[in-house]
Amino acid sequence: MSGRRHARSLRARVALTWAGFGAVACLACLLAPLVGSTAIDIRQVFDRSVPFAENTDAQIFFVARLPRALAGALVGAALASSGVVLQALLGNPLASPFTLGVSAGAALGAMLAITFPVGLSFLGLSSVPLASLAGALGAAAVVYGLATLRRRGLSTNVLLLAGVTLNAFFSAVILFVQYLSDQTQTFQAVRWLMGDLDIASYRPLVTALPLVGAAFFCFAWLPRALNLLTLGPDAAASRGIDVVGAQRLAFFSSSLATGAAVSLAGPIGFIGIVVPHLVRLLVGSDHRVVLPASALFGAAFLVACDVVARSLLAPMELPVGIITAMIGGPFFLWLLVRRT
């Protein structure tokens, strides 16, 4: 009887999570396009009596701001949920989507595309996001190969150490590539490395959506395994979990989500640390609740940060990565002190 009550309670919590955090995410995406240095009239935006080519308010809403808000939601959800998965996989509360070198690989790919342009495009994407995605997937492959080199399973310790080492190595190569670039390329690269949601079309979103969708499909199979992996691999195995399979699924799905997010908006830091811990303070530690809540709250959080980035020094727009770092840095220090 108590088991049934627990199951009903869990279903109620999950439903409440989807309803509450989903409403916050939807509200953020709907309100964000209304805020900016240029005021718009919402009635004018949806006034069909005015041709779209002559409707400035509709152009600002649908072309300049709505794609940016949707991109922020997609990137925020991907990075926040990846942070949850990696923290459970590595057993480290300070792990983030950038811990395993995937972001550094993406940054190196983008730097190479900016400094040595080749004019390559695919599905409407330029060479920079394509090179960024290729760099992220390449870094994930290298880290995974090192983590499985000496044993049949997946060593999370080697995974973490290899990721940190690869981060340092790629950072050094990025500096070397920057040294070879000219002033214009350096400026473009630095802006990209700051993380930015300056997206003025829906094509990059359509291209990144299948990758993030595939990662989320994998995430949907992980909550029970993540709950047990936090107790340790032996405890998870004793309860019927395929530990190696769950670890592989967690690693590759989080790497795919991170690579897609970074290729779309650049390396926006701290989302994968700040959001999961804030959500755990609100809903507890059960990954069946934490994972969807983090994805939805991450979407709302990054959209809100982008609104601040667009409005703080209007009409000048700050890269959103600066805002997330200014919020995430103090939070990270507080978390370190709290854990100590």
Side-chain angles (χ1 to χ4, degrees):
M1 198 69 178
S2 60
R4 291 182 180 178
R5 284 198 299 267
H6 177 72
R8 285 197 299 268
S9 174
L10 177 62
R11 286 195 294 269
R13 289 178 62 200
V14 172
L16 185 61
T17 296
W18 278 101
F21 286 92
V24 171
C26 291
L27 192 63
C29 291
L30 291 174
L31 294 181
L34 302 177
V35 181
S37 57
T38 302
I40 61 174
D41 185 350
I42 189 65
R43 292 171 298 181
Q44 184 73 12
V45 169
F46 296 99
D47 187 357
R48 295 192 175 185
S49 64
V50 181
F52 185 80
E54 302 174 7
N55 193 335
T56 304
D57 289 359
Q59 292 175 15
I60 293 174
F61 185 92
F62 287 109
V63 177
R65 295 181 183 172
L66 185 59
R68 186 165 179 157
L70 295 177
L74 187 65
V75 172
L79 294 178
S81 53
S82 296
V84 172
V85 171
L86 289 175
Q87 286 163 14
L89 171 64
L90 300 174
N92 188 336
L94 301 181
S96 77
F98 302 151
T99 301
L100 300 183
V102 176
S103 176
L108 178 58
M111 284 292 302
L112 291 172
I114 292 171
T115 306
F116 308 105
V118 294
L120 179 67
S121 64
F122 179 71
L123 295 178
L125 291 180
S126 67
S127 59
V128 174
L130 290 175
S132 173
L133 181 60
L137 298 180
V142 171
V143 171
Y144 178 79
L146 292 173
T148 57
L149 190 61
R150 292 183 175 272
R151 51 182 291 176
R152 295 180 61 185
L154 184 67
S155 172
T156 54
N157 287 332
V158 176
L159 198 68
L160 181 59
L161 293 173
V164 171
T165 304
L166 208 62
N167 257 322
F169 175 73
F170 283 161
S171 297
V173 178
I174 287 170
L175 292 176
F176 176 69
V177 175
Q178 277 186 316
Y179 181 79
L180 298 177
S181 61
D182 60 31
Q183 186 174 359
T184 302
Q185 292 167 342
T186 300
F187 177 77
Q188 184 182 355
V190 170
R191 284 298 300 265
W192 189 90
L193 290 171
M194 289 180 181
D196 202 353
L197 290 171
D198 189 12
I199 296 172
S201 73
Y202 296 95
R203 184 169 293 174
L205 292 170
V206 173
T207 306
L209 189 59
L211 301 177
V212 178
F216 281 1
F217 179 79
C218 297
F219 289 164
W221 295 90
L222 286 174
R224 179 174 178 269
L226 295 179
N227 281 342
L228 295 174
L229 283 175
T230 56
L231 303 176
D234 294 336
S238 67
R239 288 166 173 78
I241 296 296
D242 178 4
V243 174
V244 176
Q247 288 175 335
R248 287 173 177 166
L249 186 63
F251 172 73
F252 283 115
S253 59
S254 59
S255 297
L256 182 62
T258 301
V262 174
S263 68
L264 184 63
I268 299 175
F270 289 103
I271 296 292
I273 293 180
V274 173
V275 172
H277 287 288
L278 284 176
V279 168
R280 288 190 187 97
L281 292 175
L282 296 173
V283 302
S285 58
D286 191 332
H287 287 89
R288 290 169 291 186
V289 181
V290 170
L291 196 53
S294 295
L296 294 169
F297 187 70
F301 181 77
L302 187 55
V303 171
C305 287
D306 187 54
V307 170
V308 174
R310 291 191 285 110
S311 308
L312 190 62
L313 298 178
M316 184 176 70
E317 295 183 356
L318 293 173
V320 69
I322 294 177
I323 303 301
T324 59
M326 292 175 65
I327 296 173
F331 182 85
F332 186 78
L333 295 176
W334 171 80
L335 189 63
L336 283 174
V337 173
R338 184 169 178 266
R339 291 287 175 182
T340 303

